[in-house]
Amino acid sequence: MAEIEFHRSPAPDMPHTRPPATLLDLRKGEEAILDRIDLPDDVSLRLMELGFLPGSRVAASFRAPGGDPRVFRVDGTEVALRCETAARLHLRPLPKPDAASAT
Amino acid sequence: MNAASNLPVRAAGEAGPPPSRVVAVVGPPNSGKSTLFNRLTGLRQKVANFPGVTVEQHLGKLRIEDEAELDVIDLPGVYSLNPRSEDERVTLDVLMGRMEGVPRPDTILLILDVTNLGRHLVLAAPVLALGLPTLIVLNMADELERRGGDVQVEELARRLGAPVALISAASGEGYDTVLQFLRGRIGIPRPVELPALNDLPRCREWAARLGAEAKYLPPAPPVWTRRLDGLFLHPVAGPLVFLAVVVAVFQTIFSAAAPLMDLVDRAVGASGDLVGRLLPEGPLRSLVVEGIWGGVGSVLVFLPQILILFLFIGLLEDSGYLARAALIADRTMAKVGLQGKSFIPLLSAYACAVPAIMATRTIENKRDRIATILIAPFMTCSARLPVYTLIIAAFLPERPLLGPLLGTRAAALLGLYVLGFAAAVVTARVLKSSILKSERTPFVLEMPPYRRPTLRQVGLRLFDRSKVFLRRAGTVILAMSILLWGLAHVPTKNGKAPEIADSFAGTIGRTVEPLIEPLGFNWKIGIGLITSLAAREVIVGTLGTIYGIEGDDDGASLQAALRHDLTPAGAVALLVFFAFAMQCMSTIAVVRRETGGWTWPILQFTYMGVLAWVGAFVAFRLVTALLA
Ligand SMILES: Nc1nc2c(ncn2[C@@H]2O[C@H](COP(=O)(O)OP(=O)(O)OP(=O)(O)O)[C@@H](O)[C@H]2O)c(=O)[nH]1
Ligand SMILES: [Mg+2]
């Protein structure tokens, strides 16, 4: 099957060496700001309608047993995405380093 | 249509809207549209706690005192007016007056979930831009209050340029405002300028600003939802809970239903005897007692089991667990080339394939949708339940497997459900890697908060289910029983009814016998297979009628009679046959409608039929060899 490639997320207990680059890198409870969506227009529009707007806060929540799909908390709701999709949502770091505790 | 104009023009503000005639209920998925629609019209459209329940328009009437009757239209949920799936297209078509047979709406009730106002308000921009009198209904007031949120309704109305009502569609709180609005008794604020509709970030900012101006205080996060997800989506506990629930369902279908079934059985038997004594000896008595009571009665017995099944399905749907089940199943679905969204229709196919096939409308990708339609009838629908339990109970003695938790019969039933699911998955895999190959479409599913199923809602569901079941018993099964009784009594020999084997019915059965003999079935089962083309459970009624007519020794139960006609290997083959075959007229009809032609239903019927025959043949040979 021709699958969309995505890089693996770090092991849950390892500290980040770099700030998370995509939603896939977010660990449970971690929060970041969405920068852009790298997906075809119709898909990204649907994601935007669900709250994934560039500049909005996204937090990683539960995962299905096995780790895929994952649930993300965005704009007041929880939305499940497959990892291959989550890897296409790019992040920018939070403005302040300790702002992650506010939710 | 809407994405082009940057400054949408709205109808000039008037003192009040003209008296409305056709009211459309619009809103994002799972916001409570159908709940409000049911309250307005007194109908009982399906309500459940996951997005995408309503997939086509439903019309109802509302009568307000001393006013004309209003048409109310319930619509599928939409996130925007740019449709991407079949159900969303329905909403747009109805709103634009393009839907055949549906009057064009002149008034809108826009239902938004007030616990998530910021995001839901975005939909107000394109809807208000339609220029129709619109009431913004903020639903779930009870939840907002319980979780400590707040909003100033008048302020929001002023800023939005449209009247706003804060209600709870479920409890009826604030419902009067909706009626007032429909009577034209609510003044409409001056329309305001709306944001550019094609600029989603701007629309979202606009909604956020409105929320801030209306002092919207979002409710606290749903604590219980997080706690429950911590359990149900736990990597180890989650699947275990899932398994435990499934096992519990099957065990109760057998153990808890048994006393109730006995009760129904005795009631059917006693009433049959009574009617038999009241009628004079002759063909009429035979028709009523053997044909009707024997046929319809033997199906009625299964009502308790079906209700237990629906009780569980109802609890899963109303609580919000279904969306989590779709999440857990997504990996399996991904392996066969489908997505988690396909799993929701497949789950509802456990009740019945017809609504399940309708529910595939929420799948955006056309090929995924067709593949889901094609595999849905493999899921064990409730009509198979009477057939399965009859055969299992007749041939398999009950023994505990896991103490009192799981017995042999429940395990066998579970096995048949797994068999159907496996057939679905393998078929999907074949289809998705051949004729229905497509790009992988992303799986995007909103998780609803858990909600406590209400007694009223669950009770109404069971009531409605019983009605459906009884109606089927009173129509399809009754008609088939009478027809069969007739065919079993002609041609007369010397003025006397023939032996059933020599009757028309028997001749038909014996004609197909060579075809099914390799499966271990005789001509009586053959008659049942033919009548069950109408609907699966008809075979139970048919066998009931046949044995009723034959009935030398009364009191011999259907189960006992069945043991005369089937070897254990034949019984297994019959179970496999029913697991695979597409014996349901309604399913064929709905597949034709939803796929827009005969190609797919014919293909599906043939494929499932061949699979059923081959599967039953293999099962018969295998079990015969094993038992030899
Ligand atoms: N607490 C609370 N729950 C509600 C209220 N109104 C509806 N619900 C629940 O919200 C869920 C969704 O209700 P529906 O009426 O099916 O929603 P819908 O908008 O028709 O959903 P779709 O047809 O999927 O678009 C159900 O579980 C309802 O019981 C309310 O006022 N308060
Ligand atoms: Mg609905």
Side-chain angles (χ1 to χ4, degrees), chain B residues 29-31 33 46-55 79 313-314 316-324 326 341 344-345 347-348 359 362 445-449 451 461:
Chain B
N30 212 36
S31 58
K33 298 176 295 299
K46 181 166 177 184
V47 165
N49 190 19
F50 60 92
V53 178
T54 308
V55 290
Y79 292 108
I313 292 179
L316 292 186
E317 288 186 341
D318 289 350
S319 62
Y321 183 74
L322 205 67
R324 277 76 185 178
K341 255 200 186 161
I344 292 184
L347 272 179
S348 59
T362 57
L445 183 68
E446 212 183 332
M447 297 280 125
R451 295 201 167 97
R461 249 172 214 265

Side-chain angles (χ1 to χ4, degrees), chain A residues 1-3 42-43 45-51 53 62-66 68-69 71 73 75-82 84-85, chain B residues 79-80 84 88 116 119 200-201 204 226 229-230 233-235 239 327-328 330-331 334 338-340 364 440 442-447:
Chain A
M1 224 183 293
E3 299 200 3
D42 58 330
V43 184
L45 197 61
R46 169 51 42 99
L47 288 171
M48 280 159 59
E49 286 168 7
L50 280 162
L53 284 164
F62 295 97
R63 298 169 177 193
D68 189 11
V71 180
R73 214 166 278 159
D75 204 354
T77 41
E78 301 206 315
V79 180
L81 301 178
R82 275 185 185 166
E84 62 192 30
T85 311
Chain B
Y79 292 108
S80 67
R84 218 144 306 135
E88 294 174 337
N116 193 4
R119 192 164 66 77
L200 204 53
R204 182 64 187 85
R226 306 252 161 113
D229 272 340
L233 296 179
H234 187 276
L327 189 70
I328 295 175
D330 181 65
R331 274 186 37 135
L338 288 170
Q339 50 151 319
E364 293 99 353
R440 283 155 71 93
F443 165 64
V444 179
L445 183 68
E446 212 183 332
M447 297 280 125

Side-chain angles (χ1 to χ4, degrees), chain A residues 19-97:
Chain A
T22 70
L23 277 194
L24 195 63
D25 302 329
L26 284 183
R27 283 180 306 219
K28 198 180 156 203
E30 200 178 1
E31 199 182 35
I33 292 191
L34 187 65
D35 193 45
R36 66 193 163 83
I37 303 178
D38 177 21
L39 281 166
D41 276 357
D42 58 330
V43 184
S44 65
L45 197 61
R46 169 51 42 99
L47 288 171
M48 280 159 59
E49 286 168 7
L50 280 162
F52 290 98
L53 284 164
S56 57
R57 274 165 185 264
V58 186
S61 178
F62 295 97
R63 298 169 177 193
D68 189 11
R70 300 181 182 186
V71 180
F72 296 96
R73 214 166 278 159
V74 63
D75 204 354
T77 41
E78 301 206 315
V79 180
L81 301 178
R82 275 185 185 166
C83 288
E84 62 192 30
T85 311
R88 301 302 198 90
L89 276 71
H90 297 269
L91 298 172
R92 62 173 97 122
L94 282 174
K96 273 176 286 164

